[in-house]
């Protein structure tokens, strides 16, 4: 199931850690949150597709965008963006590199350690390998 909508690029003003984000209407956010699974595939202006998580806050739900992506796509704060969301049904919430998959197939102990990690830490390791 895919959902297309328009939102604006926003930026956290008073945070040294958090940067750009896409605010989501609550009904859209709740369409894609399944228990603990908040992972989505997010298309931005038919230019880029990213894997992301729907994040909660006191003000509502949002999707974070990193600064490199914002610069690469030449996005501007406050500008309306066409967004397409789909459920991310991948095993790890991102594409598993062939090299890491093969390593985990060959190393039983390494595979056990990897799969004992939290999903977020698994994604961090996958990201490093990518």
């Amino acid at each position: 199931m895919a959902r297309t909508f328009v939102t604006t690029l926003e930026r956290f003003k008073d945070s040294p850690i958090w940067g750009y984000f896409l605010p989501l209407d609550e009904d859209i956010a709740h369409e894609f949150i399944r228990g603990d699974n908040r992972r989505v595939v997010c298309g931005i202006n038919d230019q880029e597709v990213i894997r992301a998580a729907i994040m909660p806050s006191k003000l509502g739900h949002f999707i974070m965008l990193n600064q490199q992506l914002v610069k690469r796509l030449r996005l501007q704060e406050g500008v309306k963006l066409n967004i397409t969301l789909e459920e991310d049904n991948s095993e790890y919430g991102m594409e598993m590199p062939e090299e890491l998959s093969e390593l985990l197939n060959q190393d039983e102990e390494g595979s056990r350690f990897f799969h004992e990690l939290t999903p977020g830490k698994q994604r961090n390791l996958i990201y490093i390998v990518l």
Side-chain angles (χ1 to χ4, degrees), residues 9 11 52-53 77 104:
L9 179 65
R11 186 173 191 166
E77 186 178 344
L104 296 176

Side-chain angles (χ1 to χ4, degrees), residues 9 26 34 48-49 57 97 113:
L9 179 65
E26 289 303 297
R34 303 278 185 262
E48 184 93 16
V49 175
S57 79
F113 285 137

Side-chain angles (χ1 to χ4, degrees), residues 29-48:
H30 290 289
E31 276 183 46
F32 292 95
I33 297 172
R34 303 278 185 262
D36 289 340
N37 186 2
R38 300 175 288 124
R39 304 293 303 175
V40 292
V41 178
C42 178
I44 304 168
N45 281 349
D46 294 324
Q47 291 179 289
E48 184 93 16

